[in-house]
Amino acid sequence: MEINNLIAFLGENMQMIYILILSVFVGVEVIGKVPSVLHTPLMSGANAIHGVVIIGSIIVMLNTPADNIGLLTLGFIAVVLGTLNVVGGFVVTDRMLEMFKKKEKK
Amino acid sequence: MNQYILEIIYLIASVTFVIGLKMLSGPQTARSGNLWAAFGMTIAIAGTIYLYNSNDPSAVTTREPIKMAFIFGGIAVGTIIGWMTAKRVKMTAMPELVSLFNGMGGACAALISLLEFHHNVGQSERIAVIMAGLIIGSVSFSGSIIAFLKLNGTLSKSLRLPHYNKINTLLMIVTVLAGVYLTASNSDSFGFLILVFALSLLYGVLFVVPIGGADMPVVISLLNSFTGLAAAFGGFLYGNQVMLTGGILVGSAGTLLTVAMCKAMNRPLFNVIFGAFGESAAVATGKSGVTGSIKDISISDTAVLMNYSKKVIIVPGYGLAVAQAQHVIHELEQLLEERGVDVKYAIHPVAGRMPGHMNVLLAESNVDYSKLSEMEEINPEFSNTDVVVVVGANDVVNPAAKTDPSSPIYGMPILDVENSKHIIVNKRSMSAGYAGIDNELFYNPKTSMLFGDAKDVLTKLVAELKTM
């Protein structure tokens, strides 16, 4: 019974599972070629990208009834946290890379 | 129709993430790569706000003004705080800031799970996904905050409970079991949900607190991939492709980066996590077997020595970053170059608090990219080097890594500075490095100690050299 549920779950989400597995390979392949000098900006850039979790917090908000202020407030906090991750992450990465660029021109 | 447009936007965003990461692999393209990823993120967020519609009949998507106000308000607050913090932070504080932002992402994932729990009860597969997001997100959040506090010096000591490995493992098992129980029981218990949340937070704290020394970068990288994973679970929950690709990309990237860092330190990931480093470090400091006398050198003697050298190698470490001495060291390098001295920088893979930390720092002061040499290429050059200047580095030049099997850093590849003719070590005091162990290099007859704040000492050195 449990096994059947699992198989049904996998079957229903097959498209997502394909994306998941292929993304693992893409991630490894793309990042495997980054030289160690760029590891810090890379970590920071990757950090910004997982801020994509903010989309989840927006979806929570959109699906919450408008009169439930408690839930909306929690959702609001989630949106703030996600935005911090995205904006802070990209800006910090840009600041680091700005320095590399200046030096390249020189 | 909107649904399809949104999916196309998500596809574009996913591609920009991959391209962004790809472009980060070269110094010329890295910056635009970051901007591409940021662009993809922006359209994915905007698209979700205006076009998203739930395909789950139990969740109705509406866009009342009050909700939109909350969403845009949240984005505005987060943008302002994030932007200001990121713009103002000093380059030296970068690692802890990355850790902090990482924690924010983890907290966001955990909060989503908390909010989604109630109306998904009964659909055990969805609850399982929610539990996974909750546990991983919370661990990442509390762990990142501890890492942040440790890196900025608020938590300076590695706290170790007795049997903390057993306690941590037990706590992890209990947390996972509680999550499994909540999933399997179809229970709608809010109290139990909070219990899982609290246990996960506690595990995150206890997971990072005992990890000390040079292992912190590895932990941040690991937590980074945790948050990626938590985001991916969110993607699974909503059938949202861009969350899934973004999350998994970071998850696999972070894992790979973690492994790469462990390789650089020649330490298995298992030892990092289960704190073998910390335990043996405690033993080593207790033993403190290194004895001998140390030799001071004055600034003018250092200046003379450098001025008449043919080749000088600078070994920067975290002390350089703390003292903000990256500009003055570049000045020193240029001054010596003008006088015909060949100057290079030897960059150990784990110098500073993150891999590449020193590169970023030296790039800030416009040091030429070609002057930065990695460990493998510079190590053979030490034997024909006249003077090595070690600025605020310690563990990465500790010969115990090669000679003393009982040392906690035994096996870590180090810079072979002791092969050069003279070694000048600039430190603020004789205190041990971040790993908390003694360094016999300081007692080497070829070594002279130049005590003082790096910026202070180097400024005086530059002034002295100018008079010669």
Side-chain angles (χ1 to χ4, degrees):
Chain A
M1 190 59 191
E2 285 297 319
I3 297 289
N4 284 347
N5 279 350
L6 184 67
I7 291 172
F9 178 73
L10 291 179
E12 282 161 21
N13 292 286
M14 200 38 91
Q15 195 200 353
M16 297 300 272
I17 290 163
Y18 265 100
I19 296 177
L20 188 147
I21 292 170
L22 293 178
S23 296
V24 171
F25 285 104
V26 171
V28 169
E29 281 302 311
V30 163
I31 276 132
K33 289 172 192 126
V34 177
S36 70
V37 291
L38 284 166
H39 273 171
T40 298
L42 166 72
M43 192 198 274
S44 183
N47 177 50
I49 290 175
H50 69 48
V52 75
V53 70
I54 188 191
I55 287 177
S57 65
I58 294 171
I59 294 176
V60 171
M61 294 282 273
L62 291 174
N63 290 346
T64 302
D67 52 0
N68 195 332
I69 298 296
L71 284 185
L72 284 184
T73 309
L74 287 175
F76 170 80
I77 295 172
V79 172
V80 172
L81 294 172
T83 314
L84 274 175
N85 189 174
V86 171
V87 176
F90 281 122
V91 175
V92 159
T93 313
D94 190 60
R95 264 192 71 193
M96 289 184 203
L97 293 169
E98 188 182 22
M99 291 160 193
F100 280 93
K101 197 158 190 187
K102 235 191 269 163
K103 177 211 61 234
E104 282 301 309
K105 258 190 238 159
K106 193 179 145 215
Chain B
M1 193 61 188
N2 279 355
Q3 180 61 31
Y4 295 138
I5 298 175
L6 186 60
E7 282 184 8
I8 292 168
I9 290 176
Y10 283 166
L11 177 66
I12 297 170
S14 302
V15 172
T16 63
F17 292 166
V18 177
I19 290 176
L21 284 176
K22 175 98 191 148
M23 287 170 83
L24 272 165
S25 63
Q28 291 94 337
T29 53
R31 199 175 181 198
S32 29
N34 184 53
L35 293 178
W36 273 110
F39 165 77
M41 187 70 78
T42 311
I43 58 167
I45 292 172
T48 308
I49 294 176
Y50 289 108
L51 302 173
Y52 175 82
N53 239 317
S54 168
N55 48 13
D56 176 3
S58 72
V60 186
T61 307
T62 54
R63 291 184 169 74
E64 289 93 342
I66 179 162
K67 281 161 66 172
M68 298 306 261
F70 267 102
I71 292 174
F72 282 108
I75 291 176
V77 171
T79 303
I80 292 169
I81 299 176
W83 193 289
M84 302 287 258
T85 320
K87 278 283 181 195
R88 283 193 186 159
V89 70
K90 289 196 185 108
M91 271 298 141
T92 45
M94 218 53 103
E96 57 250 44
L97 195 66
V98 172
S99 182
L100 188 66
F101 287 143
N102 182 48
M104 298 299 108
C108 183
L111 211 47
I112 292 169
S113 291
L114 288 177
L115 291 170
E116 286 291 339
F117 175 74
H118 179 69
H119 62 86
N120 280 298
V121 170
Q123 297 165 274
S124 53
E125 304 91 358
R126 289 176 68 88
I127 292 293
V129 172
I130 289 171
M131 280 301 126
L134 175 66
I135 294 174
I136 297 173
S138 311
V139 169
S140 179
F141 168 61
S142 58
S144 297
I145 297 300
I146 296 296
F148 167 75
L149 292 176
K150 288 188 102 162
L151 280 172
N152 78 3
T154 312
L155 269 182
S156 54
K157 282 275 164 234
S158 305
L159 299 169
R160 249 172 244 113
L161 299 169
H163 306 293
Y164 70 93
N165 272 337
K166 283 174 206 151
I167 295 176
N168 279 5
T169 312
L170 193 69
L171 183 61
M172 183 175 72
I173 293 170
V174 169
T175 310
V176 171
L177 282 183
V180 170
Y181 172 76
L182 201 52
T183 308
S185 65
N186 275 336
S187 148
D188 190 10
S189 162
F190 186 68
F192 209 92
L193 180 69
I194 294 297
L195 177 72
V196 175
F197 180 46
L199 283 173
S200 311
L201 289 178
L202 182 65
Y203 179 72
V205 171
L206 294 183
F207 173 64
V208 179
V209 156
I211 299 175
D215 287 340
M216 219 22 117
V218 180
V219 175
I220 297 180
S221 178
L222 194 64
L223 292 172
N224 200 25
S225 52
F226 276 11
T227 311
L229 218 55
F233 278 114
F236 226 96
L237 180 65
Y238 296 117
N240 188 300
Q241 299 89 339
V242 75
M243 283 175 79
L244 190 66
T245 48
I248 290 293
L249 272 177
V250 177
S252 59
T255 309
L256 199 72
L257 196 57
T258 312
V259 172
M261 279 184 227
C262 286
K263 262 195 199 137
M265 298 198 298
N266 199 15
R267 289 165 40 65
L269 184 58
F270 184 85
N271 285 5
V272 174
I273 296 174
F274 291 97
F277 199 101
E279 270 175 292
S280 44
V283 175
T285 35
K287 170 181 93 176
S288 181
V290 187
T291 49
S293 58
I294 57 158
K295 191 166 72 201
D296 271 13
I297 188 167
S298 69
I299 288 183
S300 50
D301 285 348
T302 312
V304 173
L305 193 59
M306 286 177 137
N307 201 26
Y308 296 104
S309 299
K310 272 206 213 98
K311 185 167 179 179
V312 172
I313 294 181
I314 299 169
V315 179
Y318 189 62
L320 179 89
V322 171
Q324 291 284 315
Q326 65 270 36
H327 296 286
V328 56
I329 202 145
H330 180 47
E331 212 183 320
L332 176 72
E333 166 225 315
Q334 285 174 314
L335 200 58
L336 289 171
E337 286 269 311
E338 277 169 28
R339 308 199 172 176
V341 184
D342 181 19
V343 186
K344 277 189 178 165
Y345 294 86
I347 312 289
H348 190 276
V350 294
R353 290 290 186 270
M354 275 182 144
H357 192 184
M358 288 300 125
N359 304 76
V360 171
L361 202 70
L362 292 170
E364 188 194 353
S365 58
N366 288 325
V367 171
D368 193 0
Y369 196 71
S370 62
K371 291 215 156 290
L372 309 180
S373 309
E374 294 192 26
M375 186 172 59
E376 291 82 11
E377 62 183 277
I378 196 102
N379 262 347
E381 293 187 30
F382 281 110
S383 50
N384 58 23
T385 300
D386 301 299
V387 181
V388 170
V389 189
V390 179
V391 186
N394 191 344
D395 299 327
V396 297
V397 293
N398 193 339
K402 282 196 294 198
T403 55
D404 178 9
S406 73
S407 170
I409 58 167
Y410 183 70
M412 178 173 96
I414 58 159
L415 293 163
D416 301 325
V417 293
E418 72 272 17
N419 293 343
S420 64
K421 294 198 189 88
H422 297 277
I423 306 146
I424 294 172
V425 180
N426 168 242
K427 270 172 72 60
R428 267 188 301 195
S429 68
M430 273 308 286
S431 63
Y434 198 55
I437 47 177
D438 220 337
N439 192 339
E440 65 180 87
L441 177 75
F442 305 154
Y443 305 97
N444 187 314
K446 286 193 285 186
T447 305
S448 311
M449 304 298 289
L450 186 59
F451 288 113
D453 174 77
K455 190 173 183 177
D456 208 33
V457 166
L458 290 172
T459 312
K460 285 184 192 148
L461 194 58
V462 167
E464 189 75 28
L465 268 170
K466 278 182 180 160
T467 65
M468 291 167 86

